[in-house]
Amino acid sequence: MIKMKDILDEKDKRLRNISKEVTFPLSQKDKDTINDMIEYLHDSQIEELSEKYNLRPGMGMAAIQLGINKRYFVVVHEVTKEDDEEQKFDTYVIINPVMISHSEEEIAADAGEGCLSVNRDVEGYVKRYARVKFEGYDIDGNKISIRAREELAIAFQHELDHLNGILFIDKITNNNDGIRTI
């Protein structure tokens, strides 16, 4: 299981590396890492497990955040409806992701963005596209295409930035310039 100490801190220069394309088939080590990332992100969003295992809540993680210089990321997105008693999640694994299209509309997270590698609160807005379409590959090397909007679109763009050596703090502004916040 991934622990907080395994996640690179913003001061670590490796986070600024541009990640390298992944070749298929994936190694067992990469498959295990992806499963560990999914487990961490899932458990970190469930309050009892987050407290029990001392996990900072997170919705996405890129391989580079674990010091692995490969182009893949995982997003575990809570989709629980208000009347559901149990938390439910959609899990996305995108290997060699490419954003192939996006909306003209830009949005920002009203509460600001956070990052497992930035272990402090940072005030401000990060402009992101409201809707995006990504292509890449799944864990078995099959081509996939995913459309995302709003919160999920923000997460995909945040993780893609990681693969390009960019942290959200590089893009933050104190002004939302009138764009819609969610």
Side-chain angles (χ1 to χ4, degrees):
M1 177 184 227
I2 295 170
K3 298 186 176 23
M4 281 304 304
K5 67 177 178 53
D6 300 324
I7 300 171
L8 300 183
D9 180 79
E10 66 182 292
K11 295 176 192 82
D12 194 307
K13 289 181 175 35
R14 291 176 287 176
L15 284 173
R16 299 307 185 158
N17 290 337
I18 296 175
S19 298
K20 296 181 178 0
E21 291 280 313
V22 175
T23 55
F24 290 95
L26 284 186
S27 68
Q28 189 58 51
K29 185 175 180 181
D30 281 325
K31 289 180 181 180
D32 292 344
T33 298
I34 288 169
N35 286 326
D36 288 346
M37 292 164 76
I38 292 168
E39 180 183 24
Y40 178 98
L41 294 169
H42 175 271
D43 291 357
S44 77
Q45 294 181 68
I46 298 173
E47 192 172 346
E48 307 83 59
L49 296 177
S50 176
E51 288 175 12
K52 179 179 179 181
Y53 298 116
N54 192 32
L55 307 175
R56 278 188 58 223
M59 167 177 184
M61 186 182 300
I64 194 65
Q65 290 179 273
L66 299 172
I68 300 166
N69 195 15
K70 294 184 178 181
R71 292 189 77 78
Y72 61 82
F73 66 75
V74 173
V75 172
V76 177
H77 183 236
E78 184 175 7
V79 292
T80 306
K81 307 275 189 286
E82 283 185 35
D83 55 347
D84 287 341
E85 291 188 25
E86 183 181 324
Q87 283 178 281
K88 295 183 179 125
F89 301 91
D90 284 338
T91 299
Y92 302 89
V93 175
I94 309 179
I95 300 166
N96 297 335
V98 177
M99 182 171 32
I100 62 163
S101 66
H102 59 77
S103 63
E104 286 185 25
E105 180 188 10
E106 292 180 318
I107 59 174
D110 188 41
E113 288 188 27
C115 180
L116 293 170
S117 292
V118 179
N119 201 1
R120 59 190 171 97
D121 287 332
V122 181
E123 301 269 325
Y125 300 97
V126 180
K127 292 182 201 171
R128 304 282 188 185
Y129 298 112
R131 292 172 304 287
V132 294
K133 182 176 180 184
F134 271 64
E135 286 185 351
Y137 298 88
D138 68 13
I139 201 164
D140 297 315
N142 301 308
K143 185 113 172 141
I144 58 173
S145 177
I146 301 171
R147 291 181 186 275
R149 54 190 303 269
E150 302 207 336
E151 184 180 55
L152 189 58
I154 288 172
F156 281 16
Q157 292 167 82
H158 178 109
E159 299 310 325
L160 183 64
D161 279 350
H162 273 301
L163 301 181
N164 293 322
I166 300 166
L167 297 177
F168 84 96
I169 55 178
D170 301 335
K171 295 182 162 190
I172 203 155
T173 176
N174 291 324
N175 182 339
N176 73 357
D177 289 332
I179 62 171
R180 184 166 62 93
T181 56
I182 60 164

